[in-house]
């Protein structure tokens, strides 16, 4: 067979694999959001996805890997939203680090509103063993990125604004009243915008 004939088969196979992987992640998201990580079972995910247990283990090492993949993909989307917002603010001529931080923070919060159930899943504390360590590590990475924005690698300012934003993210994700949490997040951003370096 020529390579021209073989190529479409490979593409179809990888498309099918990608579709199965996506269906498994979508199913895991639904199951984890409704039942929590601890109560979810691999068979629940496979059944919801219309896949086999073998296909799950072909794409993921298990339930924890599904959860961590959902988390990583969520964080990647959030990081992209934040970067785009900061780049757009810079393109409009903004250079004040606090205003750039606020632009990125607002985008991050909007992403949390858009994916509120998933954001809440990661904040509830019902994740795989060791997930709290991963969350703490992500917070440190986030603080380092913010420090680079403020050109200050250990300053109290970074600790304060990052901590305030983390609290706002938690409120956005976990609050039952969406309108109230939106007002709260805007209030937090307003307060943060008035904080200045000591």
């Amino acid at each position: 067979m020529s390579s021209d004939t073989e190529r479409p088969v490979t593409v179809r196979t990888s498309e099918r694999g990608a579709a199965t992987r996506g269906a498994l992640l979508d199913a895991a998201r639904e199951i984890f959001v409704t039942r929590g990580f601890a109560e979810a079972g691999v068979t629940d995910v496979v059944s919801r996805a219309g896949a086999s247990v073998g296909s799950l283990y072909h794409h993921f090492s298990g339930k924890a890997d599904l959860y961590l993949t959902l988390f990583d993909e969520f964080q990647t989307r959030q990081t992209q939203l934040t970067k785009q917002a900061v780049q757009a603010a810079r393109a409009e001529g903004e250079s004040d680090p606090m205003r750039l931080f606020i632009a990125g923070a607002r985008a991050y919060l909007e992403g949390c509103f858009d994916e509120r159930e998933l954001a809440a899943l990661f904040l509830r504390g019902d994740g795989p063993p060791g997930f709290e360590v991963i969350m703490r590590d992500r917070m440190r990475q986030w603080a380092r990125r913010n420090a680079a924005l403020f050109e200050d690698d250990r300053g109290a300012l970074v600790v304060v604004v990052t901590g305030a934003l983390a609290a706002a993210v938690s409120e956005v994700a976990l609050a039952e009243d969406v309108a109230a949490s939106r007002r709260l997040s805007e209030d937090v951003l307003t307060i943060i915008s008035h904080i200045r370096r000591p």
Side-chain angles (χ1 to χ4, degrees):
M1 247 184 214
S2 75
S3 61
D4 291 339
T5 310
E6 291 173 14
R7 192 173 221 149
V9 172
T10 304
V11 170
R12 273 196 303 268
T13 302
S14 64
E15 287 174 358
R16 195 172 337 135
T20 300
R21 183 182 186 280
L24 288 164
L25 284 170
D26 289 344
R29 177 183 177 146
E30 289 175 39
I31 298 291
F32 293 154
V33 164
T34 57
R35 295 188 192 163
F37 177 79
E39 295 299 316
V42 167
T43 54
D44 300 323
V45 173
V46 168
S47 176
R48 175 79 49 101
S52 67
V53 172
S55 65
L56 185 140
Y57 286 107
H58 173 75
H59 293 282
F60 304 97
S61 62
K63 184 171 82 164
D65 192 21
L66 282 165
Y67 186 96
L68 295 174
T69 300
L70 287 169
F71 177 71
D72 286 339
E73 290 183 0
F74 173 76
Q75 289 300 325
T76 298
R77 289 188 299 276
Q78 291 294 88
T79 299
Q80 191 61 33
L81 287 172
T82 303
K83 284 182 181 178
Q84 288 171 347
V86 171
Q87 288 170 349
R90 281 189 172 131
E92 292 174 6
E94 187 58 67
S95 61
D96 177 73
M98 184 58 79
R99 289 190 180 126
L100 293 171
F101 175 82
I102 295 297
R106 182 169 280 116
Y108 192 95
L109 286 166
E110 274 305 312
C112 287
F113 277 115
D114 292 344
E115 296 190 70
R116 204 162 162 269
E117 289 179 336
L118 198 55
L121 172 67
F122 303 130
L123 291 169
R124 278 194 206 109
D126 176 27
F131 184 65
E132 64 281 350
V133 174
I134 292 168
M135 285 291 281
R136 279 195 304 271
D137 185 53
R138 287 295 172 106
M139 280 296 290
R140 283 192 296 275
Q141 290 173 24
W142 191 23
R144 281 194 300 271
R145 283 194 303 270
N146 292 336
L149 186 66
F150 288 101
E151 298 173 358
D152 180 0
D153 48 321
R154 293 190 187 183
L157 177 66
V158 173
V159 171
V160 170
V161 297
T162 302
L165 184 57
V169 166
S170 183
E171 280 300 313
V172 163
L174 299 174
E176 291 183 24
D177 185 340
V178 176
S181 65
R182 277 192 180 276
R183 286 190 303 274
L184 177 69
S185 69
E186 279 304 315
D187 289 347
V188 168
L189 292 178
T190 300
I191 291 167
I192 291 172
S193 72
H194 289 92
I195 298 171
R196 291 292 170 241
R197 210 179 289 224

